[in-house]
Amino acid sequence: RAKSAHSGEPCFYDSQMDDAIRERRELIADLRAALDTESFELHYQVQAALPSGEISGYEALVRWRHPTRGMVPPSEFIPLAEKSGDIVPISIWILRQACFEAALWPNRHPVAVNLSPIHLADPRLVDTVRSALEDSGLPPERLSLELTESAIIHDRRFALGQLKALKAMGIAIALDDFGVGYSSLDVLRSFPFDRIKLDSSFVAEIERDDQAVAILRSVAGLGLTLNIPVLAEGVEQPAQLSIVAREGCSAIQGYLIGKPSRTLAEPDRVRRTMSLKPCVVDDGAAVA
Ligand code: C2E
Ligand code: MG
Ligand code: MG
Ligand code: MG
């Protein structure tokens, strides 16, 4: 922008960049206003245990109702808020909202909340979580936090201290998107995770790709050995469910049993979907 202003020449690339920068600035301004205008909402996606089909919890997934753009997905505005320095207040809202809503659920299932790496690095996080629980009345056993490996690679000692303090409160910690990050195995050894969530990209390929099945099997085995339950993310098809169950995963999440929604998935419906054909029999083989 500065260059073309100096030379007085119109420059295609610069004006295009101008647009991108302006749009980004606008979006950041809108993001800052969004908390005041109550434009965020949480949707909940069911998680269910294998092989019982019992609901094991619901993951809170944030949505932004933008005044003109409609629904902006978290994959667009969370990274933006992380870069613009606005993530912490948004993340605090998400945490508190999830606790207050879950405290009112007719069931006593846990709620899983995704935690930004930047919020994990905030020294006030433990106090924030404690007040969210106290103010909402949600017991700590009903809250779990989902973290990706990127949250712990920067300042490992500090991250470990935070996780230990949270766990000491009775909160569970899940390792999200496992398999698509950095030093997975080392991270598993040094951090007190209560659950591993295997990234959906592995599940997406298991019907066509033997390597994906082999990885799924290894991660499930690793979970068994380390005594950490493994949840498979992104299960969409009955055939994927039967493979995931056969290979020893402890739980699933995915469109097959429920999409993220304002209303909680019904236990009966989830159980019924999970016993769909091809059904899983005791020896682990799938019956077509
Ligand atoms: P994630 O935590 O791994 O969440 C799972 C994402 O996969 C969600 O996308 C969910 O809607 C989607 N998903 C679930 N089952 C299926 C399936 O069967 N098929 C397919 N194709 N997709 C499925 P969503 O809601 O768009 O969120 C994307 C990511 O944004 C999340 O990945 C998480 O990293 C981040 N995110 C979402 N909500 C929050 C939040 O409240 N706070 C933070 N910090 N991050 C969030
Ligand atoms: Mg998650
Ligand atoms: Mg994930
Ligand atoms: Mg993800």
Side-chain angles (χ1 to χ4, degrees):
R1 174 183 43 133
K3 265 179 211 157
S4 62
H6 278 301
S7 61
E9 283 169 52
C11 174
F12 175 74
Y13 295 102
D14 279 3
S15 77
Q16 217 178 31
M17 203 191 289
D18 264 1
D19 287 348
I21 291 170
R22 198 176 306 115
E23 175 162 338
R24 209 183 122 91
R25 268 205 211 110
E26 266 173 32
L27 211 54
I28 291 170
D30 295 346
L31 202 52
R32 286 178 183 153
L35 278 177
D36 295 327
T37 54
E38 291 172 37
S39 306
F40 295 117
E41 59 185 43
L42 297 183
H43 289 209
Y44 295 96
Q45 186 179 31
V46 70
Q47 306 173 326
L50 282 169
S52 68
E54 296 297 321
I55 290 174
S56 52
Y58 297 88
E59 178 178 8
L61 294 157
V62 69
R63 303 291 180 254
W64 179 18
R65 283 187 190 282
H66 189 280
T68 55
R69 293 167 201 256
M71 281 285 197
V72 183
S75 55
E76 275 175 38
F77 72 83
I78 295 282
L80 185 68
E82 286 175 339
K83 283 189 208 97
S84 70
D86 297 296
I87 189 64
V88 170
I90 295 173
S91 186
I92 292 172
W93 181 89
I94 292 168
L95 199 57
R96 293 182 63 86
Q97 187 73 8
C99 290
F100 275 87
E101 290 188 350
L104 296 177
W105 289 349
N107 59 54
R108 321 220 100 238
H109 290 303
V111 62
V113 177
N114 292 283
L115 195 71
S116 164
I118 293 175
H119 203 181
L120 184 70
D122 180 354
R124 286 157 304 184
L125 174 68
V126 176
D127 285 336
T128 302
V129 172
R130 191 179 291 112
S131 359
L133 292 171
E134 278 172 11
D135 297 348
S136 65
L138 188 77
E141 297 74 30
R142 289 188 54 203
L143 177 63
S144 82
L145 296 176
E146 297 193 355
L147 286 160
T148 58
E149 280 151 301
S150 61
I152 41 202
I153 51 166
H154 299 300
D155 188 343
R156 291 178 66 110
R157 279 173 59 107
F158 186 73
L160 187 58
Q162 295 276 74
L163 293 189
K164 282 186 172 160
L166 292 165
K167 276 191 64 112
M169 287 166 61
I171 293 163
I173 312 286
L175 180 55
D176 205 350
D177 299 350
F178 182 76
V180 292
Y182 306 84
S183 53
S184 310
L185 298 178
D186 184 43
V187 154
L188 277 183
R189 195 164 57 99
S190 354
F191 287 84
F193 290 108
D194 300 286
R195 190 171 307 122
I196 295 169
K197 297 187 74 179
L198 182 65
D199 191 74
S200 54
S201 55
F202 296 100
V203 174
E205 299 298 322
I206 49 178
E207 285 165 274
R208 295 178 293 280
D209 183 355
D210 290 344
Q211 305 283 8
V213 177
I215 291 171
L216 183 89
R217 182 178 304 150
S218 307
V219 175
L222 191 65
L224 279 176
T225 310
L226 298 174
N227 203 18
I228 308 175
V230 174
L231 176 148
E233 292 192 90
V235 174
E236 294 181 351
Q237 307 294 334
Q240 293 171 337
L241 169 61
S242 71
I243 297 172
V244 159
R246 184 189 71 201
E247 300 303 342
C249 289
S250 330
I252 63 161
Q253 187 176 343
Y255 293 168
L256 176 69
I257 59 165
K259 292 192 170 175
S261 153
R262 280 296 299 152
T263 47
L264 301 181
E266 292 287 338
D268 282 350
R269 219 195 66 85
V270 170
R271 247 193 314 268
R272 235 179 301 123
T273 324
M274 284 182 68
S275 53
L276 267 179
K277 288 177 262 321
C279 71
V280 180
V281 293
D282 278 347
D283 67 355
V287 179

